[in-house]
Amino acid sequence: MAEGCLLTYSKYLYSRTHYLLDLKEKTETSIVVWLVEKDEKSKSIVFRDPSGFRELKIYGDKGEELFKLPRETLLYIRGLYDGDILRVENYEVILKPIEEPPVSYVELDEDLVKLAKYSPWYLRNAYWSNIIKLQHYMLWYAREFLYSKGFIELLPPMISVVSDPGLRGAKKLKTIFYGKEYELTSSTIMYKQATAAVYEKIFFVARNVREEPKEHISTGRHLAEFTQLDIEWALASIDDVIRLAEELLKYVSRKLLGKHQDIVFSLNKNFTEFKPPFPRISYDDALEITRKLGYDGKWGQELSQQAETALAEYYGSPVWVLKFPAISRGFYYLPDPHDPRYNLDFNLILPKGYGEVIDGGAREYRYDKLVERIKLSGEPLEKYSWFLDLAKSGGIPPSSGWGLGVERLTRYIAGAKHIALAAIFPKLPGITGTP
């Protein structure tokens, strides 16, 4: 370590005896905390550590000196805790900022641009921090469930010669890789199909980047950089992967409520365990129902956010919408054998306006049909040469799968107003200059 760093000197290797939220009355304690806010008049200081926030009344000659320190000073404090009073015996400054943070993060700012710009600071906010903890446990149990079902987790690629063509209004971002144009991953769909031929049951926790239309910032559910829990299952049917998704949601929600109810209810007291099976309806039926509810949708187009909200409220639960028109989706879905105008695909729509959380279906794997669908989409075949060559030689198996929006599910469970709070450094549609 560099000369002068406190951790290079043994006398600064402090020993914490308690976290803030574990303090009990009449206890000699040693704590390591950040100074968040202070009020010398009331002798109160708000401290923070990994367990959360705590406001303490500060007494003692040494304690008086703490009020002269800037916000976000990192401290090692020894003293006596008794009923939210801390009598400071001694303290050491581990890190003293040159200047105070530009924002106070005790309360979240409602300005999304400011929230994103100062996200490294606002992430310390108790509410936002708990949402990210919730997300951690959510992914933990999702992985646990998939491992128990025989799935193997693979590491997803970050760049490729071509990514998902079916982005529904969003644009792909590109980079130059040794003089050749590559795309940043916007979907792992083709990689899922390719690897399912090897392991049969696979999943990625995949980061994706898409340049969403600027107006999507107002939907509350769009990020330009987001995470998908992507699964693919060779030789599986649509019914197989829909049941798998329902079982996963039930398992994760039950585990969260059983083991981390304190975090869940601190965010959303109304959250309850998922109770599948969920209703299944066709795209055409969804269009008819939402028209009756006052939302005019055009066949072949996506349901509007308002129509999705009305549909889920109509059923009073998450609802599966199946068999979207082939013209509205990517080339990688199998057509319905009874009516090839439609795909064998699906979306899961969450209630209360949280919208689509899962997108998936049965995959096209036949070389000639893939060529036909790519041509119909207007895409050049050479862009997909690696994938088509694989399919031509039998390297793509029949499979089904789905992608689950990690931030979207996090937002739903937490009951958060905007999806920005389900990401640690949110990239919002149309907003640049943020970390």
Short mmCIF file of all heavy atoms in Angstrom, two decimals, residues 347-390:
data_model
loop_
_atom_site.label_atom_id
_atom_site.label_comp_id
_atom_site.label_asym_id
_atom_site.label_seq_id
_atom_site.Cartn_x
_atom_site.Cartn_y
_atom_site.Cartn_z
N ASN A 347 -45.33 -13.39 -23.37
CA ASN A 347 -44.90 -12.37 -22.40
C ASN A 347 -45.64 -12.61 -21.10
O ASN A 347 -46.80 -13.04 -21.13
CB ASN A 347 -45.23 -10.95 -22.86
CG ASN A 347 -44.28 -10.40 -23.92
OD1 ASN A 347 -44.55 -9.35 -24.49
ND2 ASN A 347 -43.19 -11.09 -24.21
N LEU A 348 -44.99 -12.32 -19.97
CA LEU A 348 -45.69 -12.30 -18.69
C LEU A 348 -45.84 -10.84 -18.28
O LEU A 348 -44.85 -10.10 -18.17
CB LEU A 348 -44.92 -13.06 -17.61
CG LEU A 348 -45.61 -13.08 -16.23
CD1 LEU A 348 -46.95 -13.82 -16.30
CD2 LEU A 348 -44.71 -13.71 -15.17
N ILE A 349 -47.09 -10.43 -18.07
CA ILE A 349 -47.41 -9.04 -17.71
C ILE A 349 -47.71 -8.98 -16.21
O ILE A 349 -48.57 -9.71 -15.72
CB ILE A 349 -48.62 -8.52 -18.50
CG1 ILE A 349 -48.45 -8.78 -20.00
CG2 ILE A 349 -48.83 -7.04 -18.22
CD1 ILE A 349 -47.26 -8.11 -20.62
N LEU A 350 -47.02 -8.10 -15.51
CA LEU A 350 -47.26 -7.91 -14.08
C LEU A 350 -48.38 -6.89 -13.86
O LEU A 350 -48.56 -5.98 -14.68
CB LEU A 350 -45.99 -7.40 -13.39
CG LEU A 350 -44.81 -8.37 -13.33
CD1 LEU A 350 -43.57 -7.64 -12.81
CD2 LEU A 350 -45.13 -9.57 -12.46
N PRO A 351 -49.11 -7.01 -12.76
CA PRO A 351 -50.19 -6.05 -12.49
C PRO A 351 -49.67 -4.71 -11.97
O PRO A 351 -48.47 -4.52 -11.78
CB PRO A 351 -51.02 -6.76 -11.42
CG PRO A 351 -50.09 -7.71 -10.75
CD PRO A 351 -49.08 -8.12 -11.80
N LYS A 352 -50.60 -3.79 -11.79
CA LYS A 352 -50.36 -2.46 -11.19
C LYS A 352 -49.42 -1.60 -12.03
O LYS A 352 -48.71 -0.73 -11.50
CB LYS A 352 -49.82 -2.60 -9.76
CG LYS A 352 -50.74 -3.36 -8.83
CD LYS A 352 -50.17 -3.50 -7.45
CE LYS A 352 -51.11 -4.32 -6.56
NZ LYS A 352 -50.56 -4.53 -5.20
N GLY A 353 -49.39 -1.83 -13.33
CA GLY A 353 -48.61 -0.98 -14.21
C GLY A 353 -47.14 -1.33 -14.33
O GLY A 353 -46.40 -0.60 -14.97
N TYR A 354 -46.72 -2.44 -13.74
CA TYR A 354 -45.30 -2.80 -13.79
C TYR A 354 -44.91 -3.46 -15.11
O TYR A 354 -43.73 -3.55 -15.44
CB TYR A 354 -44.93 -3.69 -12.60
CG TYR A 354 -44.92 -2.92 -11.31
CD1 TYR A 354 -46.05 -2.84 -10.50
CD2 TYR A 354 -43.78 -2.23 -10.90
CE1 TYR A 354 -46.04 -2.10 -9.31
CE2 TYR A 354 -43.76 -1.49 -9.72
CZ TYR A 354 -44.90 -1.44 -8.93
OH TYR A 354 -44.90 -0.71 -7.77
N GLY A 355 -45.89 -3.93 -15.86
CA GLY A 355 -45.67 -4.33 -17.24
C GLY A 355 -44.96 -5.65 -17.45
O GLY A 355 -44.86 -6.50 -16.56
N GLU A 356 -44.45 -5.80 -18.68
CA GLU A 356 -43.80 -7.05 -19.09
C GLU A 356 -42.56 -7.32 -18.25
O GLU A 356 -41.70 -6.46 -18.09
CB GLU A 356 -43.40 -6.95 -20.56
CG GLU A 356 -42.60 -8.13 -21.08
CD GLU A 356 -41.80 -7.79 -22.33
OE1 GLU A 356 -42.30 -7.01 -23.16
OE2 GLU A 356 -40.67 -8.29 -22.46
N VAL A 357 -42.45 -8.55 -17.75
CA VAL A 357 -41.27 -8.93 -16.96
C VAL A 357 -40.55 -10.13 -17.56
O VAL A 357 -39.36 -10.33 -17.31
CB VAL A 357 -41.65 -9.20 -15.49
CG1 VAL A 357 -42.48 -10.49 -15.36
CG2 VAL A 357 -40.43 -9.26 -14.60
N ILE A 358 -41.26 -10.94 -18.35
CA ILE A 358 -40.66 -12.10 -19.01
C ILE A 358 -41.07 -12.11 -20.48
O ILE A 358 -42.23 -11.85 -20.80
CB ILE A 358 -41.08 -13.42 -18.33
CG1 ILE A 358 -40.50 -13.52 -16.92
CG2 ILE A 358 -40.64 -14.63 -19.15
CD1 ILE A 358 -40.93 -14.77 -16.16
N ASP A 359 -40.10 -12.42 -21.32
CA ASP A 359 -40.35 -12.55 -22.76
C ASP A 359 -39.67 -13.84 -23.22
O ASP A 359 -38.51 -14.09 -22.87
CB ASP A 359 -39.76 -11.35 -23.50
CG ASP A 359 -39.87 -11.49 -25.01
OD1 ASP A 359 -40.99 -11.50 -25.52
OD2 ASP A 359 -38.82 -11.59 -25.68
N GLY A 360 -40.37 -14.68 -23.95
CA GLY A 360 -39.74 -15.92 -24.39
C GLY A 360 -40.60 -16.68 -25.38
O GLY A 360 -41.59 -16.17 -25.90
N GLY A 361 -40.18 -17.93 -25.64
CA GLY A 361 -40.92 -18.76 -26.57
C GLY A 361 -40.12 -19.96 -27.04
O GLY A 361 -39.04 -20.26 -26.53
N ALA A 362 -40.68 -20.64 -28.02
CA ALA A 362 -40.00 -21.77 -28.66
C ALA A 362 -39.17 -21.23 -29.81
O ALA A 362 -39.63 -20.38 -30.58
CB ALA A 362 -41.03 -22.78 -29.16
N ARG A 363 -37.95 -21.73 -29.97
CA ARG A 363 -36.98 -21.14 -30.92
C ARG A 363 -36.97 -21.85 -32.27
O ARG A 363 -37.06 -23.08 -32.34
CB ARG A 363 -35.57 -21.21 -30.33
CG ARG A 363 -35.43 -20.80 -28.88
CD ARG A 363 -35.89 -19.39 -28.62
NE ARG A 363 -35.53 -18.99 -27.25
CZ ARG A 363 -35.96 -17.90 -26.66
NH1 ARG A 363 -36.77 -17.07 -27.31
NH2 ARG A 363 -35.58 -17.61 -25.43
N GLU A 364 -36.83 -21.04 -33.29
CA GLU A 364 -36.59 -21.58 -34.62
C GLU A 364 -35.16 -22.10 -34.68
O GLU A 364 -34.22 -21.41 -34.28
CB GLU A 364 -36.81 -20.50 -35.68
CG GLU A 364 -36.66 -20.99 -37.11
CD GLU A 364 -37.60 -22.13 -37.45
OE1 GLU A 364 -38.78 -21.87 -37.76
OE2 GLU A 364 -37.12 -23.30 -37.38
N TYR A 365 -34.98 -23.31 -35.19
CA TYR A 365 -33.66 -23.93 -35.22
C TYR A 365 -33.31 -24.50 -36.60
O TYR A 365 -32.18 -24.90 -36.85
CB TYR A 365 -33.58 -25.07 -34.19
CG TYR A 365 -34.62 -26.14 -34.41
CD1 TYR A 365 -34.31 -27.28 -35.15
CD2 TYR A 365 -35.91 -26.00 -33.92
CE1 TYR A 365 -35.27 -28.26 -35.39
CE2 TYR A 365 -36.88 -26.96 -34.15
CZ TYR A 365 -36.56 -28.08 -34.87
OH TYR A 365 -37.53 -29.04 -35.11
N ARG A 366 -34.29 -24.52 -37.51
CA ARG A 366 -34.10 -25.11 -38.84
C ARG A 366 -33.46 -24.08 -39.77
O ARG A 366 -33.96 -22.97 -39.93
CB ARG A 366 -35.45 -25.57 -39.38
CG ARG A 366 -36.11 -26.64 -38.52
CD ARG A 366 -37.59 -26.80 -38.83
NE ARG A 366 -38.34 -25.57 -38.50
CZ ARG A 366 -39.66 -25.44 -38.67
NH1 ARG A 366 -40.36 -26.46 -39.16
NH2 ARG A 366 -40.26 -24.32 -38.37
N TYR A 367 -32.39 -24.49 -40.41
CA TYR A 367 -31.61 -23.57 -41.23
C TYR A 367 -32.44 -22.86 -42.29
O TYR A 367 -32.42 -21.63 -42.40
CB TYR A 367 -30.45 -24.33 -41.91
CG TYR A 367 -29.69 -23.50 -42.92
CD1 TYR A 367 -28.77 -22.54 -42.52
CD2 TYR A 367 -29.93 -23.66 -44.30
CE1 TYR A 367 -28.09 -21.77 -43.45
CE2 TYR A 367 -29.25 -22.89 -45.23
CZ TYR A 367 -28.33 -21.95 -44.80
OH TYR A 367 -27.67 -21.18 -45.71
N ASP A 368 -33.21 -23.62 -43.09
CA ASP A 368 -33.97 -23.01 -44.18
C ASP A 368 -35.01 -22.02 -43.67
O ASP A 368 -35.24 -20.97 -44.28
CB ASP A 368 -34.62 -24.08 -45.05
CG ASP A 368 -35.51 -25.03 -44.27
OD1 ASP A 368 -35.32 -25.16 -43.04
OD2 ASP A 368 -36.40 -25.65 -44.89
N LYS A 369 -35.63 -22.34 -42.54
CA LYS A 369 -36.65 -21.44 -41.97
C LYS A 369 -36.01 -20.18 -41.38
O LYS A 369 -36.57 -19.08 -41.46
CB LYS A 369 -37.46 -22.17 -40.90
CG LYS A 369 -38.25 -23.36 -41.43
CD LYS A 369 -39.27 -22.95 -42.47
CE LYS A 369 -40.11 -24.12 -42.94
NZ LYS A 369 -41.09 -23.73 -44.00
N LEU A 370 -34.83 -20.34 -40.79
CA LEU A 370 -34.11 -19.17 -40.28
C LEU A 370 -33.77 -18.22 -41.43
O LEU A 370 -33.94 -17.01 -41.32
CB LEU A 370 -32.84 -19.60 -39.55
CG LEU A 370 -33.02 -20.19 -38.15
CD1 LEU A 370 -31.74 -20.87 -37.69
CD2 LEU A 370 -33.43 -19.10 -37.17
N VAL A 371 -33.26 -18.76 -42.52
CA VAL A 371 -32.93 -17.94 -43.69
C VAL A 371 -34.17 -17.21 -44.20
O VAL A 371 -34.13 -16.01 -44.49
CB VAL A 371 -32.31 -18.83 -44.81
CG1 VAL A 371 -32.22 -18.04 -46.12
CG2 VAL A 371 -30.94 -19.33 -44.40
N GLU A 372 -35.27 -17.93 -44.26
CA GLU A 372 -36.53 -17.35 -44.74
C GLU A 372 -36.98 -16.19 -43.84
O GLU A 372 -37.36 -15.12 -44.33
CB GLU A 372 -37.59 -18.45 -44.77
CG GLU A 372 -38.93 -18.02 -45.31
CD GLU A 372 -39.93 -19.18 -45.29
OE1 GLU A 372 -39.56 -20.30 -45.69
OE2 GLU A 372 -41.07 -18.97 -44.84
N ARG A 373 -36.92 -16.40 -42.52
CA ARG A 373 -37.38 -15.36 -41.59
C ARG A 373 -36.44 -14.16 -41.59
O ARG A 373 -36.90 -13.01 -41.49
CB ARG A 373 -37.47 -15.94 -40.17
CG ARG A 373 -38.61 -16.92 -39.94
CD ARG A 373 -39.98 -16.26 -39.91
NE ARG A 373 -40.16 -15.39 -38.77
CZ ARG A 373 -40.70 -15.76 -37.60
NH1 ARG A 373 -41.08 -17.02 -37.43
NH2 ARG A 373 -40.86 -14.90 -36.63
N ILE A 374 -35.15 -14.39 -41.70
CA ILE A 374 -34.20 -13.27 -41.72
C ILE A 374 -34.42 -12.42 -42.97
O ILE A 374 -34.41 -11.19 -42.92
CB ILE A 374 -32.75 -13.78 -41.64
CG1 ILE A 374 -32.48 -14.40 -40.26
CG2 ILE A 374 -31.76 -12.64 -41.88
CD1 ILE A 374 -31.14 -15.10 -40.13
N LYS A 375 -34.64 -13.09 -44.09
CA LYS A 375 -34.90 -12.36 -45.33
C LYS A 375 -36.18 -11.53 -45.22
O LYS A 375 -36.23 -10.37 -45.66
CB LYS A 375 -35.01 -13.33 -46.51
CG LYS A 375 -33.68 -13.88 -46.99
CD LYS A 375 -33.87 -14.82 -48.18
CE LYS A 375 -32.55 -15.31 -48.73
NZ LYS A 375 -32.74 -16.26 -49.88
N LEU A 376 -37.21 -12.09 -44.63
CA LEU A 376 -38.47 -11.37 -44.46
C LEU A 376 -38.30 -10.14 -43.59
O LEU A 376 -39.00 -9.14 -43.76
CB LEU A 376 -39.53 -12.30 -43.85
CG LEU A 376 -40.17 -13.33 -44.80
CD1 LEU A 376 -41.06 -14.28 -44.03
CD2 LEU A 376 -40.97 -12.61 -45.89
N SER A 377 -37.37 -10.21 -42.63
CA SER A 377 -37.14 -9.08 -41.73
C SER A 377 -36.33 -7.97 -42.39
O SER A 377 -36.18 -6.88 -41.83
CB SER A 377 -36.42 -9.55 -40.46
OG SER A 377 -35.08 -9.90 -40.75
N GLY A 378 -35.77 -8.27 -43.59
CA GLY A 378 -34.98 -7.27 -44.29
C GLY A 378 -33.53 -7.20 -43.85
O GLY A 378 -32.78 -6.31 -44.27
N GLU A 379 -33.11 -8.15 -43.02
CA GLU A 379 -31.74 -8.17 -42.53
C GLU A 379 -30.84 -8.95 -43.50
O GLU A 379 -31.27 -9.96 -44.08
CB GLU A 379 -31.68 -8.86 -41.16
CG GLU A 379 -32.36 -8.08 -40.05
CD GLU A 379 -31.43 -7.09 -39.39
OE1 GLU A 379 -30.22 -7.36 -39.30
OE2 GLU A 379 -31.92 -6.02 -38.97
N PRO A 380 -29.59 -8.53 -43.71
CA PRO A 380 -28.68 -9.28 -44.58
C PRO A 380 -28.24 -10.59 -43.92
O PRO A 380 -27.89 -10.61 -42.73
CB PRO A 380 -27.49 -8.33 -44.76
CG PRO A 380 -27.54 -7.41 -43.58
CD PRO A 380 -28.98 -7.28 -43.21
N LEU A 381 -28.23 -11.65 -44.68
CA LEU A 381 -27.89 -12.97 -44.15
C LEU A 381 -26.46 -13.01 -43.62
O LEU A 381 -26.17 -13.70 -42.62
CB LEU A 381 -28.06 -14.04 -45.23
CG LEU A 381 -29.48 -14.33 -45.69
CD1 LEU A 381 -29.47 -15.37 -46.81
CD2 LEU A 381 -30.33 -14.83 -44.53
N GLU A 382 -25.53 -12.29 -44.27
CA GLU A 382 -24.13 -12.36 -43.86
C GLU A 382 -23.90 -11.87 -42.44
O GLU A 382 -22.93 -12.27 -41.79
CB GLU A 382 -23.24 -11.59 -44.84
CG GLU A 382 -23.58 -10.14 -45.03
CD GLU A 382 -24.56 -9.91 -46.19
OE1 GLU A 382 -25.27 -10.86 -46.58
OE2 GLU A 382 -24.62 -8.77 -46.68
N LYS A 383 -24.78 -11.01 -41.94
CA LYS A 383 -24.63 -10.54 -40.56
C LYS A 383 -24.73 -11.69 -39.56
O LYS A 383 -24.13 -11.68 -38.50
CB LYS A 383 -25.72 -9.50 -40.23
CG LYS A 383 -25.45 -8.11 -40.77
CD LYS A 383 -26.57 -7.16 -40.41
CE LYS A 383 -26.68 -6.93 -38.92
NZ LYS A 383 -27.73 -5.92 -38.60
N TYR A 384 -25.51 -12.70 -39.93
CA TYR A 384 -25.78 -13.82 -39.02
C TYR A 384 -25.07 -15.09 -39.45
O TYR A 384 -25.50 -16.20 -39.11
CB TYR A 384 -27.30 -14.06 -38.96
CG TYR A 384 -28.06 -12.84 -38.49
CD1 TYR A 384 -28.58 -11.94 -39.40
CD2 TYR A 384 -28.22 -12.58 -37.13
CE1 TYR A 384 -29.26 -10.81 -38.98
CE2 TYR A 384 -28.89 -11.46 -36.70
CZ TYR A 384 -29.41 -10.57 -37.63
OH TYR A 384 -30.07 -9.45 -37.20
N SER A 385 -23.96 -14.93 -40.19
CA SER A 385 -23.30 -16.09 -40.79
C SER A 385 -22.85 -17.12 -39.76
O SER A 385 -22.99 -18.33 -39.98
CB SER A 385 -22.12 -15.63 -41.64
OG SER A 385 -21.17 -14.92 -40.87
N TRP A 386 -22.31 -16.65 -38.60
CA TRP A 386 -21.82 -17.63 -37.62
C TRP A 386 -22.96 -18.48 -37.09
O TRP A 386 -22.82 -19.70 -36.89
CB TRP A 386 -21.08 -16.94 -36.47
CG TRP A 386 -21.97 -16.31 -35.42
CD1 TRP A 386 -22.39 -15.02 -35.37
CD2 TRP A 386 -22.52 -16.95 -34.26
NE1 TRP A 386 -23.18 -14.80 -34.27
CE2 TRP A 386 -23.27 -15.97 -33.56
CE3 TRP A 386 -22.46 -18.24 -33.75
CZ2 TRP A 386 -23.96 -16.25 -32.37
CZ3 TRP A 386 -23.14 -18.53 -32.56
CH2 TRP A 386 -23.88 -17.53 -31.89
N PHE A 387 -24.12 -17.86 -36.88
CA PHE A 387 -25.28 -18.56 -36.34
C PHE A 387 -25.89 -19.47 -37.40
O PHE A 387 -26.24 -20.62 -37.12
CB PHE A 387 -26.30 -17.53 -35.85
CG PHE A 387 -27.50 -18.12 -35.17
CD1 PHE A 387 -27.38 -18.70 -33.92
CD2 PHE A 387 -28.74 -18.09 -35.77
CE1 PHE A 387 -28.49 -19.24 -33.28
CE2 PHE A 387 -29.86 -18.63 -35.15
CZ PHE A 387 -29.73 -19.21 -33.89
N LEU A 388 -26.00 -18.96 -38.63
CA LEU A 388 -26.57 -19.76 -39.72
C LEU A 388 -25.68 -20.95 -40.06
O LEU A 388 -26.16 -22.05 -40.33
CB LEU A 388 -26.79 -18.88 -40.95
CG LEU A 388 -27.92 -17.84 -40.83
CD1 LEU A 388 -27.95 -16.93 -42.04
CD2 LEU A 388 -29.28 -18.53 -40.64
N ASP A 389 -24.36 -20.74 -40.06
CA ASP A 389 -23.43 -21.85 -40.32
C ASP A 389 -23.59 -22.94 -39.27
O ASP A 389 -23.53 -24.15 -39.58
CB ASP A 389 -21.98 -21.35 -40.34
CG ASP A 389 -21.67 -20.52 -41.58
OD1 ASP A 389 -22.48 -20.54 -42.52
OD2 ASP A 389 -20.62 -19.83 -41.57
N LEU A 390 -23.79 -22.51 -38.03
CA LEU A 390 -24.00 -23.46 -36.94
C LEU A 390 -25.28 -24.25 -37.17
O LEU A 390 -25.32 -25.49 -37.03
CB LEU A 390 -24.05 -22.71 -35.61
CG LEU A 390 -23.73 -23.46 -34.32
CD1 LEU A 390 -22.33 -24.05 -34.36
CD2 LEU A 390 -23.87 -22.52 -33.12
#
